[in-house]
Amino acid sequence: MSDPNKEFDGIRQADNPLPEWWKWVFLGCIIFSGIYAVYFHGFSNWGTSEYYAAQIQEYEKEFPNRNVAVESTDGSNPFRGNQDAISIGQKTFQTYCVACHGPTGEGLVGPNLMDKEWLHGNTDLELYATVMKGISVERTKSGRGPMPAHENSLGSEKVYQVLAWLASRNPELKSSK
Ligand code: HEC
C-alpha cells in the first residue's frame, strides 16, 4: 500500500518537483530582499522620518511663520506702532476681514471697527480674544450674526498685526484700560 497521505478524498498528491524557473525566481526574491533591506536601512533616505521632515520643510516654505505664537505679558499688543506689522496687518485685514467689516473697516455685515462704539470691549486684550475666539451666536450683541474664530486660520502673530493696523487707524482702540 502506498503512503495514505498521497491520496485523500479522491485528491491525489503528485509530489512533482517545482519547475526550475520558479526556484530561480524564488531564490532571486530572497537575494533581492536582503540587498533591499540593507540598502533601505543603511543607504537610502526613503524612511518616514525623512519624508516627514521634507513635508514640514515644504509647508514652512509655503506658509512662513504661519502660527508663530507671539506672547504678550500684560495683554497689550506687542506690535503697536510697528510699521512693518501694521502694513502686513492691513493686507491680512484685506484678505480675512473685508468681506464682513468692509474694505476700510467701516462695517458691512460686521460692525464698524473705526468708530467709538465697541460692543465687546476696546482694549488690545479684549479685541485679541474677540478675533482669536470669534463671537458665538449666544454672545452676539449687534443682531448681525456671529463672527468666526481666527485662532487656527491666522494665529496670534497675524491677529496682533491686524490689531496693530486697527490701532493705527482708530485711536479708540486702547492698549489697556
Ligand atoms: C463672517 C463675517 C465676519 C468676519 C470674516 C470677521 N468678522 Fe468681525 N464681526 C462680525 C460680526 C457679525 C460681529 C458682531 C458680532 C456681534 O453682534 O456682537 C463682529 C465683531 C467684531 C469685533 C467686535 C466689535 C465691537 O464693537 O466690539 C471685532 C474687533 C472684529 N469683529 C474684528 C474682526 C477682524 C479683525 C476680522 C478679521 C481677522 C474679522 N472681524 C472677521 C463678522 C465677521
Side-chain angles (χ1 to χ4, degrees):
M1 213 177 96
S2 63
D3 184 352
N5 288 332
K6 298 262 165 156
E7 186 159 358
F8 187 78
D9 257 4
I11 299 165
R12 200 168 55 81
Q13 186 182 327
D15 212 8
N16 287 326
L18 289 162
E20 271 320 287
W21 66 265
W22 195 95
K23 282 191 238 171
W24 283 112
V25 169
F26 183 61
L27 187 70
C29 287
I30 292 173
I31 293 167
F32 175 80
S33 66
I35 294 168
Y36 183 84
V38 170
Y39 177 71
F40 183 89
H41 292 288
F43 303 99
S44 83
N45 60 350
W46 302 341
T48 46
S49 42
E50 285 86 354
Y51 181 67
Y52 178 72
Q55 287 218 310
I56 294 281
Q57 236 175 22
E58 232 170 75
Y59 179 87
E60 280 173 356
K61 222 164 80 194
E62 198 174 346
F63 304 105
N65 304 326
R66 183 156 174 91
N67 268 320
V68 177
V70 172
E71 299 289 338
S72 164
T73 43
D74 57 353
S76 69
N77 184 351
F79 289 140
R80 264 184 178 267
N82 177 328
Q83 280 310 319
D84 290 342
I86 290 170
S87 58
I88 299 169
Q90 179 172 15
K91 286 202 195 86
T92 306
F93 188 90
Q94 301 301 336
T95 312
Y96 286 88
C97 321
V98 278
C100 297
H101 291 284
T104 56
E106 276 157 8
L108 275 173
V109 185
N112 189 340
L113 302 175
M114 295 300 167
D115 62 5
K116 293 182 173 183
E117 248 178 80
W118 295 97
L119 301 162
H120 298 272
N122 69 329
T123 63
D124 282 345
L125 186 66
E126 289 162 318
L127 260 79
Y128 180 76
T130 298
V131 180
M132 288 292 270
K133 301 286 175 200
I135 301 167
S136 60
V137 183
E138 310 82 60
R139 291 177 50 246
T140 55
K141 290 186 178 162
S142 66
R144 296 162 183 257
M147 168 167 144
H150 290 85
E151 57 189 342
N152 293 324
S153 56
L154 293 179
S156 60
E157 185 181 36
K158 288 213 160 80
V159 167
Y160 274 132
Q161 288 164 344
V162 171
L163 297 185
W165 175 72
L166 274 179
S168 76
R169 305 293 300 271
N170 187 347
E172 295 299 319
L173 170 50
K174 309 288 189 202
S175 69
S176 60
K177 281 212 192 298

